[in-house]
Amino acid sequence: MTLALCLALTGCARQPKETPAVTGIDAWRWQNVEGHVVRTPHYRLYTTVDDTAVLDRFAKLLERAFVQYTELAAPLPDADGEIAPLQVYLFDEPGALESFTRKLTGADADVYLSVGTGGYTYDDKVVCFLGSESDTYTTMAHEGLHQYIGRHFRTRLPPTIEEGLACTFENVSMSPTGEVTFDRTRNERRSQWLARAWREKTLIPFDTLIYLHGGDLAGRPLPLVEGYYGQCWALARMLRDDRGYAANFQRLLRDVQTGGTLHDVGRTDASGGAYNPRAIPPLLQQYVAPDWPRFVADVDRAVTAISTAQAVADSPGFPSDK
């Protein structure tokens, strides 16, 4: 069922075993730019994109991503038992993106407009610019995890772990028939940059890494930034997949989500609340790292294993610094 047909008809014919991603569409305007609000079961997609096929694909992406996020942690309903839709903004007009960002983020607008990935999360909203569709899928899936955690976790994860988990959702593709597939075991971009940092001995020491969040890397050289995200991704992979950590990591996720931990890291985003980095080591020690030196050594081994397995590491000068 295409979005165009849904617009033309008051009631869309549905396959009996499949719920369409698009449940409706309304007019929306951002300043002088005409747009749409695409409604899905779990999202409201505000967009200046006019191509109905493109919008249909993004609606499918969002709904499939939501399912992936719920496998990490179930959503928290509100007091009425409802799950309020999440807001995503997708612009294909640079002027509209800039004006919206300046209104949304105020004095921090230049920082958010300089983000090279084409998207960001702010105040419970995901905002993206439509570059190539595949790149925008990656950005939206990554930022969507931050948004999901912000909405459905009462307290927050350590930033390195949250960033790493967001990176595990980046390897997303869509078939010509509209089937969305996530491969959460591989991420070529992150493994390549991680391997480069490992090879060039520019990895951030773990006892420093664990306190950092993305904002600390703003304006720093690209290899350092990409190396940071590669290390975050490797850490999240180890906690999620290693048999020695996976069960306790799931317990950590559950307790952080419900606010049941003894150590509250607080919030790191711009919507308010204090970030308490001093809570990170005791939080991890409570759940996954009672033996801190052994934990750090295991992280180092995970990074080394990924780096040595990355074939591109043998190609000098790759990835590019540009």
Side-chain angles (χ1 to χ4, degrees), residues 26-43:
D26 303 301
W28 176 67
R29 172 193 287 266
W30 174 250
Q31 296 184 341
N32 63 337
V33 180
E34 299 289 344
H36 312 284
V37 183
V38 179
R39 288 181 273 121
T40 78
H42 298 102
Y43 290 90

Side-chain angles (χ1 to χ4, degrees), residues 32-250:
N32 63 337
V33 180
E34 299 289 344
H36 312 284
V37 183
V38 179
R39 288 181 273 121
T40 78
H42 298 102
Y43 290 90
R44 297 295 179 266
L45 175 61
Y46 296 78
T47 182
T48 59
V49 176
D50 238 353
D51 189 319
T52 55
V54 171
L55 296 181
D56 194 58
R57 289 194 289 272
F58 274 102
K60 290 175 180 176
L61 170 77
L62 288 170
E63 284 300 316
R64 181 59 183 153
F66 189 87
V67 171
Q68 294 284 308
Y69 304 150
T70 64
E71 291 175 1
L72 187 69
L76 296 177
D78 60 26
D80 298 324
E82 300 293 327
I83 299 175
L86 295 158
Q87 296 181 34
V88 176
Y89 293 79
L90 178 64
F91 295 95
D92 65 348
E93 296 280 347
L97 173 71
E98 179 175 356
S99 62
F100 181 83
T101 299
R102 294 197 180 281
K103 183 173 180 62
L104 178 65
T105 65
D108 296 324
D110 287 338
V111 174
Y112 286 93
L113 289 169
S114 68
V115 174
T117 58
Y120 59 86
T121 305
Y122 186 94
D123 194 22
D124 199 32
K125 298 176 178 64
V126 169
V127 182
C128 290
F129 184 75
L130 179 59
S132 74
E133 277 193 51
S134 60
D135 286 347
T136 309
Y137 295 158
T138 294
T139 299
M140 194 173 284
H142 176 114
E143 296 300 330
L145 189 276
H146 290 309
Q147 180 187 42
Y148 184 87
I149 288 177
R151 172 70 65 82
H152 294 293
F153 278 51
R154 293 196 172 99
T155 53
R156 297 303 288 264
L157 291 165
T160 49
I161 294 177
E162 184 173 326
E163 288 293 355
L165 286 173
C167 290
T168 68
F169 291 94
E170 292 177 343
N171 191 3
V172 55
S173 60
M174 186 171 299
S175 73
T177 58
E179 181 181 356
V180 181
T181 302
F182 284 84
D183 183 350
R184 297 188 58 209
T185 65
R186 297 173 57 253
N187 189 322
E188 191 168 352
R189 172 184 171 184
R190 302 306 180 189
S191 62
Q192 287 172 353
W193 278 105
L194 178 70
R196 172 173 167 171
W198 176 83
R199 185 176 66 248
E200 297 180 355
K201 303 186 187 307
T202 58
L203 292 169
I204 300 169
F206 185 79
D207 284 338
T208 298
L209 177 83
I210 199 63
Y211 292 109
L212 298 178
H213 59 81
D216 294 327
L217 281 298
R220 305 300 293 274
L222 181 65
L224 180 63
V225 175
E226 291 287 356
Y228 164 78
Y229 283 100
Q231 288 182 256
C232 292
W233 171 71
L235 172 62
R237 280 280 314 277
M238 186 195 82
L239 289 172
R240 188 195 68 192
D241 298 340
D242 189 292
R243 290 182 180 179
Y245 291 99
N248 286 332
F249 182 53
Q250 283 300 316

